[in-house]
Amino acid sequence: MSAAERELLDVNDAFYRAFNAHDAAAMDQMWARSAAVACIHPGWQSLTGREAVMASWRGILLGPAPTINHSEASVHLLGDTAFIVCIEEIPDGRLIATNIFIREDGRWRLVHHQAGPIARELDDDDTPRSGFLN
């Protein structure tokens, strides 16, 4: 694993720590300042622009948000852009999430987060267990 991949995993972990701590200030620090940002929370429509995205996080973090455990993070590095796909475990089930990062002012910052239900999961032999695409 490269140093950049390790750094991205650490930043991704910090995103979930900020969420679980209901820390709106830390969440604000995670997001890009100069690049365009967007976010799609589970069941929500797309939010675009930093003001709308950060307002959504403040609303979520100030409310009774569930704890999210994340696992199975895979890093996809594309120069100064990267994305991580991971599983989010919440009290009601599992979600699949994509977090997209850019390098801004020497730090990895989020430009997009999207999480949604997993339509189908695979058995150990990569065959679908359930879902509409069987």
Side-chain angles (χ1 to χ4, degrees):
M1 177 179 303
S2 72
E5 290 170 322
R6 170 60 23 221
E7 185 180 1
L8 281 157
L9 288 172
D10 290 344
V11 172
N12 196 61
D13 290 347
F15 168 74
Y16 288 100
R17 279 194 308 274
F19 183 92
N20 288 331
H22 298 257
D23 188 338
M27 182 63 74
D28 184 76
Q29 291 298 311
M30 302 292 311
W31 286 82
R33 299 256 188 290
S34 60
V37 300
C39 185
I40 304 173
H41 299 294
W44 292 35
Q45 294 194 17
S46 179
L47 300 169
T48 57
R50 194 168 201 290
E51 186 176 321
V53 169
M54 296 321 304
S56 75
W57 285 114
R58 283 189 300 275
I60 290 168
L61 297 176
L62 294 176
T67 297
I68 296 177
N69 295 308
H70 67 288
S71 63
E72 301 177 40
S74 61
V75 177
H76 307 270
L77 186 58
L78 310 163
D80 285 339
T81 303
F83 66 96
I84 293 179
V85 176
C86 63
I87 301 295
E88 295 182 348
E89 298 190 26
I90 59 174
D92 294 337
R94 292 163 41 103
L95 304 171
I96 187 87
T98 304
N99 296 317
I100 302 175
F101 301 88
I102 62 162
R103 271 208 187 273
E104 184 180 81
D105 299 326
R107 293 182 53 194
W108 289 107
R109 296 193 189 264
L110 278 160
V111 292
H112 183 76
H113 168 78
Q114 180 172 356
I118 299 173
R120 68 179 189 162
E121 295 196 42
L122 302 177
D123 286 327
D124 291 335
D125 64 356
D126 291 336
T127 58
R129 278 191 260 168
S130 63
F132 67 92
L133 297 176
N134 288 1

